[in-house]
Amino acid sequence: MTPCPSVPSRHGVGKAEDTSRTSPFHLDLWFYFTLQNWVLDFGRPIAMIILPLEWFPLNKPSAGDYFHMAYNVITPFLLLKLMERSPRTLPRSMVHVSIITFVMGASIHLVGDSVNHRLIFSGYQHHLSVRDNPIIRNLKPETLVRLRWVKVL
């Protein structure tokens, strides 16, 4: 039994050149990805400049953190929708692994960016070494940070 030539095959049985000629441009997904990128990525530093720091104490997420969290929640759904509309699909396990990998990478980026901003707001100076940084030198209790190398046998 051969598949109907006018209906693109879901599992990539048809020729790649046939599906690429007939595959439509998904304007709605392109719009959502673009809107999300402009609002959540470019809007993040703007929101951090406009909103006062007093609204976001250092023990709570900042405005940029909320933008990052929204990005981490929305993007996997857009990627799943994009993969769902693809004329050639990957195995379901491969799709899940790729989405999980994306979310983990974006979450690691979120944590790193959040820690970096908190260090800057706390007075950490990136151009100095950790040992010479005044915020580390004044850290209490002193046993929290050891400034000399500890030799482990």
Side-chain angles (χ1 to χ4, degrees):
M1 179 176 262
T2 60
C4 178
S6 64
V7 178
S9 175
R10 177 122 175 102
H11 298 287
V13 177
K15 293 180 182 174
E17 55 205 47
D18 292 343
T19 58
S20 66
R21 257 188 273 136
T22 60
S23 62
F25 181 73
H26 300 287
L27 187 62
D28 58 336
L29 288 178
W30 177 84
F31 174 74
Y32 293 140
F33 272 118
T34 304
L35 180 69
Q36 172 192 333
N37 189 40
W38 276 89
V39 170
L40 298 179
D41 200 23
F42 296 134
R44 185 175 51 89
I46 295 169
M48 290 180 69
I49 291 171
I50 292 173
L51 299 174
L53 279 177
E54 294 81 34
W55 289 4
F56 305 100
L58 290 177
N59 62 346
K60 303 282 186 209
S62 70
D65 295 337
Y66 286 116
F67 277 64
H68 262 136
M69 285 184 250
Y71 183 85
N72 288 357
V73 170
I74 295 169
T75 303
F77 291 112
L78 289 174
L79 288 173
L80 281 171
K81 187 55 105 174
L82 185 66
M83 288 182 190
E84 179 181 285
R85 291 186 186 179
S86 174
R88 299 175 118 194
T89 59
L90 294 170
R92 187 178 276 283
S93 61
M94 186 64 103
V95 170
H96 289 171
V97 166
S98 63
I99 296 296
I100 289 169
T101 303
F102 170 80
V103 170
M104 288 177 63
S107 298
I108 290 169
H109 170 75
L110 165 70
V111 169
D113 201 36
S114 179
V115 168
N116 186 37
H117 282 97
R118 307 242 178 236
L119 284 172
I120 290 171
F121 291 143
S122 297
Y124 190 83
Q125 299 172 12
H126 283 296
H127 66 282
L128 296 175
S129 69
V130 174
R131 181 171 298 179
D132 297 334
N133 220 300
I135 196 169
I136 299 299
R137 287 191 171 277
N138 299 331
L139 200 59
K140 301 293 184 216
E142 292 174 6
T143 57
L144 201 60
V145 177
R146 294 202 175 156
L147 295 178
R148 53 196 147 99
W149 293 98
V150 177
K151 200 170 196 177
V152 179
L153 297 177

